[in-house]
């Protein structure tokens, strides 16, 4: 059975000048539609869902467009865009789908910028964290974006129900993720390390997780690890297909949420490769 895409054209309505702009997901959605994926339209996350992850003051400041940093502008109505993206992650969690909405989320911590980072790195609400708290089941979060998900780590560090495992370029933005802490396992990788080193590390990391305690796998799926992208680890389509197979081999209910990736063409193709790998074992 093909995994369903979660997407709303409403997420294309802001920030066309920014590198995290609408074109990246517009193009990806177009490619995935052409490849025959079924699409579902999400509803906005409720404020109650946001407050399971973020402090009330922070949610209020986003709502009033009062919080801004050099990476992460206070766009008009960004609260509604961010709430819809978080709702996409919730729907993905409910149906075992793949939300390809924007804005991304994994740099957003409880109060915004997380673990000492200077900016929120294009993120407003932590979509995957909202979805994981919404499901409220023991979850393994696999973060395959090329940047460390400092927001997700901050939110779940010490949470007995959640394991967070991240593979990211280091040293690089946001400057965190060089060491593992408690339930947060970090695997820093050198720039352009390539498929082979990446997949070896991926295998070692998964061998450290007690899968008997996990009921759900949630994937923070960024594609800026693609060779030449913003946090390139030199990955190729073969790499993404193999990552998909390794995730499927965990044999758990799985959902995926888009993070980074700044070429829509690559995102569309890489999502398809990853899911082809995933579905070959399902
Ligand atoms: Zn990234």
């Amino acid at each position: 059975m093909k995994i369903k895409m979660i997407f709303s054209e409403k997420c294309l309505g802001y920030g066309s000048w920014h590198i995290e702009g609408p074109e990246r997901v517009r193009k990806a959605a177009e490619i995935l539609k052409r490849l025959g994926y079924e699409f579902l339209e999400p509803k906005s996350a409720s404020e109650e869902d946001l407050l399971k992850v973020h402090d009330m003051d922070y949610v209020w400041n986003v709502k009033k467009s009062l919080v801004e940093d050099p990476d992460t502008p206070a766009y008009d109505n960004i609260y509604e865009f961010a709430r819809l993206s978080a709702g996409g992650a919730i729907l993905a969690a409910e149906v075992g789908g793949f939300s390809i909405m924007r804005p991304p989320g994994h740099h957003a911590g409880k109060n915004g910028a997380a673990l000492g980072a200077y900016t929120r790195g294009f993120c407003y609400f932590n979509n995957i964290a909202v979805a994981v708290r919404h499901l409220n089941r023991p979850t393994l979060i696999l973060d395959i974006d090329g940047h460390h998900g400092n927001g997700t780590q901050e939110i779940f560090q010490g949470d007995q129900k959640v394991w967070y495992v991240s593979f990211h370029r280091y040293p690089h933005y946001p400057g965190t993720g060089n060491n593992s802490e408690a339930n947060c396992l970090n695997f820093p990788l050198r720039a352009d390390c390539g498929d082979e080193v990446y997949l070896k590390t991926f295998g070692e990391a998964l061998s450290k997780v007690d899968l008997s305690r996990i009921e759900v796998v949630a994937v923070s799926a960024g594609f800026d690890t693609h060779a030449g992208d913003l946090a390139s680890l030199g990955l190729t389509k073969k790499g993404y297909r193999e990552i998909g197979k390794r995730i499927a081999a965990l044999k758990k209910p799985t959902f995926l949420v888009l993070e980074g990736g700044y070429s829509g063409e690559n995102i569309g193709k890489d999502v398809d490769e990853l899911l082809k790998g995933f579905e070959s074992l399902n």
Side-chain angles (χ1 to χ4, degrees), residues 179-190:
N179 299 106
S180 295
E181 319 240 2
N183 58 326
C184 300
L185 306 183
N186 288 316
F187 296 87
L189 292 160
R190 64 182 159 76

Side-chain angles (χ1 to χ4, degrees), residues 106-107 122 145-148 173 222-225 230-231 259-262:
H106 73 154
H107 296 304
F122 321 154
D145 187 89
H147 300 93
H148 179 237
Y173 178 87
F223 296 92
D224 46 15
T225 48
L230 216 54
E259 300 288 355
Y262 298 92

Side-chain angles (χ1 to χ4, degrees), residues 64-134:
K64 297 290 166 193
S65 293
L66 290 174
V67 54
E68 164 156 72
D69 63 57
D71 283 340
T72 324
Y75 297 109
D76 286 348
N77 295 322
I78 188 60
Y79 174 73
E80 292 303 335
F81 291 114
R83 211 156 70 91
L84 188 58
S85 188
I90 289 174
L91 182 57
E94 285 172 344
V95 303
F98 196 144
S99 175
I100 55 165
M101 295 285 288
R102 64 187 280 265
H106 73 154
H107 296 304
K110 292 173 195 169
N111 291 299
L115 302 180
Y118 288 110
T119 75
R120 291 167 295 157
F122 321 154
C123 302
Y124 298 84
F125 298 133
N126 195 310
N127 305 316
I128 201 148
V130 169
V132 166
R133 285 264 160 86
H134 179 86

Side-chain angles (χ1 to χ4, degrees), residues 39-269:
F39 276 61
L40 298 177
E41 184 96 12
K43 292 195 184 73
S44 297
S46 66
E47 196 161 286
E48 193 188 338
D49 275 318
L50 300 178
L51 293 173
K52 288 175 187 162
V53 168
H54 298 288
D55 286 353
M56 178 110 56
D57 285 353
Y58 177 64
V59 172
W60 177 260
N61 284 336
V62 175
K63 197 173 191 171
K64 297 290 166 193
S65 293
L66 290 174
V67 54
E68 164 156 72
D69 63 57
D71 283 340
T72 324
Y75 297 109
D76 286 348
N77 295 322
I78 188 60
Y79 174 73
E80 292 303 335
F81 291 114
R83 211 156 70 91
L84 188 58
S85 188
I90 289 174
L91 182 57
E94 285 172 344
V95 303
F98 196 144
S99 175
I100 55 165
M101 295 285 288
R102 64 187 280 265
H106 73 154
H107 296 304
K110 292 173 195 169
N111 291 299
L115 302 180
Y118 288 110
T119 75
R120 291 167 295 157
F122 321 154
C123 302
Y124 298 84
F125 298 133
N126 195 310
N127 305 316
I128 201 148
V130 169
V132 166
R133 285 264 160 86
H134 179 86
L135 278 187
N136 194 26
R137 292 168 65 191
T139 301
L140 166 63
I141 300 174
L142 282 180
D143 191 328
I144 60 167
D145 187 89
H147 300 93
H148 179 237
N150 54 325
T152 312
Q153 172 164 329
E154 185 201 81
I155 289 159
F156 291 109
Q157 199 166 314
D159 187 322
Q160 309 260 327
K161 248 185 173 164
V162 175
W163 285 79
Y164 175 72
V165 179
S166 177
F167 308 90
H168 45 269
R169 177 159 149 176
Y170 189 91
H172 203 47
Y173 178 87
T176 53
N178 193 29
N179 299 106
S180 295
E181 319 240 2
N183 58 326
C184 300
L185 306 183
N186 288 316
F187 296 87
L189 292 160
R190 64 182 159 76
D192 296 309
C193 64
D195 290 337
E196 201 177 316
V197 168
Y198 188 95
L199 291 165
K200 186 168 172 279
T201 309
F202 201 81
E204 283 165 8
L206 292 181
S207 72
K208 292 184 179 162
V209 178
D210 177 4
L211 288 168
S212 68
R213 291 169 52 194
I214 301 295
E215 291 180 13
V216 179
V217 175
V219 184
S220 257
F223 296 92
D224 46 15
T225 48
H226 190 111
D229 205 330
L230 216 54
S232 174
L233 292 174
L235 298 195
T236 69
K237 63 182 193 179
K238 274 188 188 161
Y240 294 111
R241 191 178 282 232
E242 186 59 31
I243 291 169
K245 282 188 192 165
R246 304 268 182 104
I247 297 170
L250 301 174
K251 297 196 182 315
K252 303 282 178 187
T254 299
F255 69 95
L256 307 97
V257 178
L258 182 66
E259 300 288 355
Y262 298 92
S263 151
E265 180 94 25
N266 289 344
I267 294 174
K269 291 177 179 169

